[in-house]
Amino acid sequence: MRAIGYSFLRRFVRRLARSTSGNAMMFVALGLPVFIGASGYAVDMAQAYAWKRELQHSVDQAAIAGAWALAYNKNTNTYNTRVQQEFDANQGVTKTFADADAAVQLGSYGGGTDNSIIVSASATKMLPFSGYLVHKGVTVFARAQATFAEGGTYKACLMTLKKNASGTFTVGGNATVNAGTGELNLSLS
């Protein structure tokens, strides 16, 4: 009985090898898992990239805001509060799964000590395709460092002198101001 089964299998394999009627279907069947896998990977990488970009933008803006606050007031609460406000304001999609608070620390930049703000944050979530395969989320991480350097002395060709008043320099309509040497505005608004 074993010899009959073996010879039947040999004949079947030979007939299958000579037959060309199902070649296209076989190639589709073999290629479909690869196509679906590559498409899923592309969707996952696009999603992770979008999360990373949003998180990076949030920490960039938070670091800049913290550097401005540090330049005007070295009080820890002032720059920490400002960093968190700006981080929260720039969160969109990642707000629901990012770390609630951005990590803030003082850094040293350009030979100075504690003259910059370093902000970092991470977000973890399962990706749409690979998350179902590995049952694990992916973590994206973003870090930014910003410092504020005092400006120099500038000469201006246009100068408004009324401090703390609004509308000291106004351009209306579709006018163009060409100020090759710069503009100086002492008004805070």
Side-chain angles (χ1 to χ4, degrees):
M1 185 154 170
R2 185 174 175 158
I4 294 172
Y6 181 68
S7 65
F8 172 75
L9 185 61
R10 286 179 63 191
R11 282 190 308 245
F12 177 74
V13 169
R14 274 192 228 135
R15 251 190 357 249
L16 186 62
R18 286 189 300 246
S19 176
T20 59
S21 62
N23 287 348
M25 185 61 77
M26 187 175 11
F27 283 128
V28 169
L30 291 173
L32 198 56
V34 174
F35 177 73
I36 291 172
S39 299
Y41 182 74
V43 168
D44 281 356
M45 290 303 101
Q47 186 68 59
Y49 180 76
W51 293 342
K52 167 73 173 162
R53 291 306 317 143
E54 181 178 297
L55 196 62
Q56 186 65 52
H57 176 73
S58 297
V59 297
D60 287 347
Q61 296 303 311
I64 291 169
W68 275 97
L70 179 66
Y72 289 105
N73 187 351
K74 300 278 185 193
N75 183 345
T76 304
N77 290 335
T78 303
Y79 66 80
N80 273 332
T81 302
R82 190 68 187 106
V83 164
Q84 194 59 46
Q85 286 172 340
E86 199 64 30
F87 180 74
D88 291 341
N90 284 287
Q91 288 289 292
V93 174
T94 57
K95 186 174 198 153
T96 58
F97 57 91
D99 295 340
D101 294 328
V104 182
Q105 67 185 48
L106 288 176
S108 299
Y109 181 79
T113 304
D114 292 341
N115 64 343
S116 69
I117 298 288
I118 301 171
V119 180
S120 58
S122 64
T124 303
K125 188 173 180 181
M126 284 180 56
L127 290 167
F129 181 77
S130 63
Y132 291 112
L133 298 175
V134 296
H135 302 292
K136 255 175 82 174
V138 66
T139 300
V140 292
F141 179 79
R143 180 181 183 275
Q145 182 174 4
T147 188
F148 176 77
E150 292 184 25
T153 304
Y154 301 100
K155 294 180 180 178
C157 66
L158 301 171
M159 186 180 295
T160 60
L161 300 175
K162 192 171 184 181
K163 289 185 179 184
N164 300 325
S166 63
T168 58
F169 183 78
T170 306
V171 177
N174 57 0
T176 303
V177 176
N178 293 322
T181 58
E183 174 209 342
L184 175 64
N185 190 345
L186 299 177
S187 174
L188 296 177
S189 52

